[in-house]
Structure formats: C-alpha cells, structure tokens
Amino acid sequence: MSKKELKMEQTKIFAIIVTYNAMRRNWIEKCLVSIEASTVPMTAIVIDNGSTDETRSFVPQRFPNTVWLPQEKNLGFGQANNLGMRYALDHGADYVLLLNQDATIGQDAIEKMLACSDGQTLLSPLQLNGVGSQLDAGFKKCLMKCENMLFDDALVSNALQATYSGPVKGTGNLLPAACWLMPVAVLKSIGGFNPLFFQYGEDDNYFQRLFYHRIPVRICPKATMCHDRGEHGNVQTYNNKKSRRLMLRTAVDINLSFAGRLKEWLQIIKNSYTSDLRRGLYRPGDSLSAMFWLLGKVGRIRQSRTKERSLGPTWL
C-alpha cells in the first residue's frame, strides 16, 4: 500500500444520511450499499425523521454497522443533519459526507475528491440524475455560475482539471446539498445548518455563510454521484410556502445590507405575482401573509445573523 493509499485508509469519514420514508424505489438500500462499496472506507450515520414506512426496521437490520439515530418527530433536513455533524465531530471525524437518501455515491468518488482536497474547502462531485445519463437538473443550473473554464475544458479541449471553482455568491441556483464532502475544519469554523429552515433553503443559506467567511467551494468533475429525483425532489413540499422561505433566506443573508434585503424582497414579491398569475394561482393575500410571518420571526432572525457572522460550530 502506497503512502497516499494509507493516508486515505486512515482518513476518518462519516457519511450523514437523513431519512424520511426512504423505502421508495429502494432508495436507502442503494444509498447505503454505495457507501459500503466506496474505495475509501466510511461510517454511515442515518438520522431518521420519524418515518412511517419500513425504514425504521429495515436500516438497522440490513445495515447493522450503520450508526442509527431515529427521531420521534420530523426535525427537517437541516436540524437532522446537524445531529449527524455533531456525532461526527464528537467521534474524531476528518470529513463528513452529506448524502441524500435518494442518492448514490460513485465507487471512487471519495478517493478522487480526497486526492484534491486541501482540508479547508467544501467539495462536490458531478451530480447526475438517477441513472447517470444526464446532469441533475438543479446541479445543471448551478453550473451556470461556475468557473467558465469548466465548459471550455469539457467541450473544447476535452481535458478536465481535477477541480473547478463552484458558485458561492448569489441567492439562487447554488450547489445542491445532495452530496457535499465537508472537511471538519469547515464545521468547526461556521457550524451546521440554520434551524430557521425546515426543508429547502438551508443549503442556500449555508452558501451565504461560506461566501461571507470566504470558504471556497469546488466541484470535482471526475467524481460522480447519482440523484434519483425531479428538479426539486418533493415538488409539493418545495412549492408549499415558497414565498415565506425565499423571504426568510433573504432576511438571514449576512452579505446583504437592509437596502439590499429590501430590494430582494420586492423582487420576490414581483416574481411570485408574475408566476402565480401565469399559472392561475394568484392569491392577493399571499405576499402580505408572508411579510407578517417574517415580522413574527424578527428576533430569531437577528440572533441568527449575529451567530452566522461569528466563527465556531454554530448550531452543533
């Protein structure tokens, strides 16, 4: 075994998977099998958000070496991941891999990402659709904000580099959290997900913090994963109270001044009006309701903005 292989063998990685009714299309089995097949050993941590299908009996029986953390209620994506991150920190992790329940990691993906990791940068493989035939729809959008050389190398020179700078600044089309390899230094520096977000929006908020604290994000195109979903996963959940979530995301953005947040809010209201009117779903009170909802959280928003400016394992 070479020194490089020995170092990878000794690197302690915890793969964190949040589950909720994960038996659909054998999602969780395929996910955990892919982790077991990795050329770099990992320990899987599964946090179950109160599944009502067979997930809670299947996972500990089929995968007895998995760290099994069942919850009595649905904590949401971010807070459940925070439990896994805390466990990883307490057990000497060097890296954590965030992986969705409906995703699988390529056999050598971790090996390829570790080979170009500096221990300070958040990394993502190329995120593909469920069968690996195309780019994941959300990931494809985020590539439009990536380093332009990625397209030049892929389409012209046909010689991909090991990594490319990923998108960081902005309020949309950011790198989906379906598969992130995070050095423990990132967790110790800025912590976990903001608990104000239940599902959707927490990864965008995390990117706002990465940008504020100048933590780089890079994509490793030679490493791959597959994500078996539509553009937004659960479309009904994604669209539910979407305006509230977008306004909250803007409210907690520590990169924006008050004038900047106000500009973003007005644009959200305008976009919501245009989109809903086009689909015949416009309800005049929605935007007003979202604003009043946001005002009710002013205290928590102010506290979170203060915490997000500070360094340390916030919310873990």
Side-chain angles (χ1 to χ4, degrees):
M1 183 180 291
S2 68
K3 289 184 178 179
K4 180 180 178 181
E5 290 172 332
L6 181 62
K7 183 178 180 181
M8 287 188 182
E9 183 78 21
Q10 294 174 340
T11 300
K12 200 167 187 178
I13 305 174
F14 287 88
I16 302 172
I17 304 101
V18 175
T19 55
Y20 181 76
N21 293 345
M23 299 301 292
R24 181 183 175 191
R25 304 216 298 249
N26 296 322
W27 277 342
I28 191 58
E29 182 173 26
K30 290 186 285 189
C31 177
L32 292 172
V33 165
S34 77
I35 289 171
E36 289 183 339
S38 172
T39 56
V40 177
M42 292 182 280
T43 299
I45 305 172
V46 176
I47 304 94
D48 184 73
N49 270 334
S51 291
T52 57
D53 64 1
E54 297 176 359
T55 302
R56 293 169 79 88
S57 59
F58 176 80
V59 172
Q61 291 177 14
R62 171 70 172 80
F63 300 94
N65 294 326
T66 293
V67 177
W68 175 241
L69 301 177
Q71 305 301 305
E72 295 307 313
K73 65 176 182 178
N74 192 341
L75 301 178
F77 180 80
Q79 291 191 66
N81 266 298
N82 287 352
L83 290 179
M85 292 176 185
R86 182 72 266 171
Y87 183 97
L89 284 176
D90 291 343
H91 289 79
D94 297 306
Y95 290 83
V96 298
L97 174 74
L98 302 191
L99 190 64
N100 276 23
Q101 66 176 12
D102 56 354
T104 57
I105 187 77
Q107 188 173 11
D108 61 354
I110 302 300
E111 180 181 338
K112 289 180 176 178
M113 287 191 284
L114 286 180
C116 54
S117 174
D118 61 2
Q120 305 292 326
T121 300
L122 187 149
L123 299 170
S124 168
L126 203 65
Q127 298 188 19
L128 308 176
N129 64 8
V131 296
S133 61
Q134 297 177 337
L135 291 171
D136 170 78
F139 186 79
K140 185 185 295 186
K141 287 185 176 181
C142 96
L143 287 181
M144 301 307 296
K145 293 190 176 184
C146 288
E147 188 177 334
N148 288 334
M149 283 300 296
L150 172 59
F151 298 102
D152 293 337
D153 290 346
L155 299 175
V156 181
S157 64
N158 196 29
L160 289 173
Q161 300 175 30
T163 65
Y164 294 86
S165 294
V168 176
K169 188 176 181 180
T171 57
N173 299 341
L174 298 178
L175 190 63
C179 188
W180 289 355
L181 183 65
M182 305 173 70
V184 73
V186 174
L187 299 184
K188 290 180 177 178
S189 179
I190 66 172
F193 290 111
N194 189 329
L196 281 171
F197 296 89
F198 182 77
Q199 185 175 2
Y200 294 114
E202 63 284 303
D203 48 355
D204 289 345
N205 170 255
Y206 205 83
F207 262 77
Q208 293 164 356
R209 292 153 59 195
L210 288 167
F211 178 75
Y212 181 85
H213 293 287
R214 299 185 179 182
I215 296 174
V217 176
R218 296 193 71 83
I219 292 171
C220 306
K222 296 180 181 179
T224 61
M225 60 82 71
C226 293
H227 193 185
D228 186 16
R229 63 153 189 172
E231 182 173 348
H232 299 301
N234 188 326
V235 177
Q236 183 177 356
T237 301
Y238 179 82
N239 288 328
N240 186 33
K241 300 176 181 177
K242 182 179 177 181
S243 292
R244 291 187 183 187
R245 189 172 63 251
L246 293 176
M247 288 183 174
L248 175 62
R249 187 180 67 183
T250 299
V252 299
D253 188 349
I254 52 179
N255 299 288
L256 293 176
S257 64
F258 178 77
R261 294 198 300 276
L262 183 60
K263 181 180 178 181
E264 290 287 343
W265 284 328
L266 291 174
Q267 188 63 47
I268 290 167
I269 293 171
K270 178 182 176 181
N271 290 346
S272 177
Y273 168 78
T274 303
S275 174
D276 290 350
L277 196 66
R278 184 173 61 248
R279 293 183 298 163
L281 300 174
Y282 177 61
R283 294 183 293 270
D286 279 3
S287 296
L288 187 62
S289 173
M291 288 301 295
F292 276 112
W293 174 84
L294 198 66
L295 287 171
K297 295 186 177 295
V298 166
R300 292 182 64 189
I301 289 170
R302 285 177 175 171
Q303 290 176 0
S304 75
R305 286 172 60 86
T306 299
K307 292 184 75 169
E308 291 187 352
R309 289 192 183 96
S310 304
L311 292 174
T314 305
W315 291 303
L316 294 181

